[in-house]
Amino acid sequence: MKLFSIIIPVYNVENFLSKCVDSIINQILQNHIDCEILLIDDGSTDNSGAICDQYYEKYEDYISVYHNENQGLLLTRRFGYKKAKGEYILNCDSDDLLDENMLNRLKSVIEKFSFPDLIFFNYYSFDGENKEIV
């Protein structure tokens, strides 16, 4: 079983998707985090589905890709929950970036508190120039 399953619904985000996935896969590889990424293409009509497939080809040990008919965000996330194999599920939008070392810090919290049932944490809002905690 993986420690983390990161569910990323994908719909027409070809301009953002690579940055999102790179922000996660780099942490997994650098810190040896036991993690899976689920890219769930929700019927994209742009190049998003092909980008998902390219990431799968390059990182098939870490990434799973599913191509579905468009169902909307809620049903796409639910589909991801059913496929997830991790002890903890993280939701990540396809235009989000994971802060550097976020997975490592989260893993430390899990170990410190002996695998809590639920973890809440802050996030940053970034408008391209300013980054502030929410």
Side-chain angles (χ1 to χ4, degrees):
M1 179 178 277
K2 303 281 186 188
L3 182 60
F4 299 118
S5 291
I6 302 176
I7 297 172
I8 306 175
V10 175
Y11 183 74
N12 291 347
V13 288
E14 66 183 5
N15 295 328
F16 307 101
L17 186 56
S18 292
K19 286 183 181 179
C20 173
V21 176
D22 287 344
S23 76
I24 300 167
I25 199 74
N26 290 338
Q27 291 184 50
I28 293 170
L29 296 174
Q30 290 173 2
N31 298 308
H32 308 287
I33 303 288
D34 190 23
C35 183
E36 67 174 347
I37 300 170
L38 290 81
L39 297 174
I40 306 164
D41 178 21
D42 189 31
S44 295
T45 58
D46 66 359
N47 201 33
S48 296
I51 293 169
C52 291
D53 292 338
Q54 291 168 357
Y55 273 99
Y56 172 75
E57 288 173 15
K58 190 171 182 182
Y59 302 107
E60 64 184 60
D61 291 339
Y62 304 99
I63 294 178
S64 298
V65 174
Y66 302 93
H67 297 281
N68 296 336
E69 301 265 333
N70 183 264
Q71 298 179 26
L73 184 60
L74 178 62
L75 292 178
T76 300
R77 284 198 198 281
R78 284 185 181 170
F79 176 87
Y81 298 154
K82 291 176 185 174
K83 298 293 183 182
K85 298 177 183 131
E87 291 189 55
Y88 292 90
I89 294 176
L90 286 87
N91 288 304
C92 184
D93 290 337
S94 50
D95 60 349
D96 288 346
L97 303 174
L98 258 61
D99 200 37
E100 192 174 315
N101 285 321
M102 181 264 192
L103 294 175
N104 227 14
R105 290 192 308 263
L106 191 53
K107 181 180 172 187
S108 294
V109 167
I110 290 168
E111 291 168 352
K112 179 179 179 181
F113 293 101
S114 302
F115 291 84
D117 293 333
L118 187 65
I119 302 168
F120 287 96
F121 52 89
N122 291 332
Y123 66 95
Y124 292 102
S125 174
F126 182 68
D127 64 7
E129 294 179 18
N130 301 307
K131 177 177 162 181
E132 55 186 276
I133 197 162
V134 177

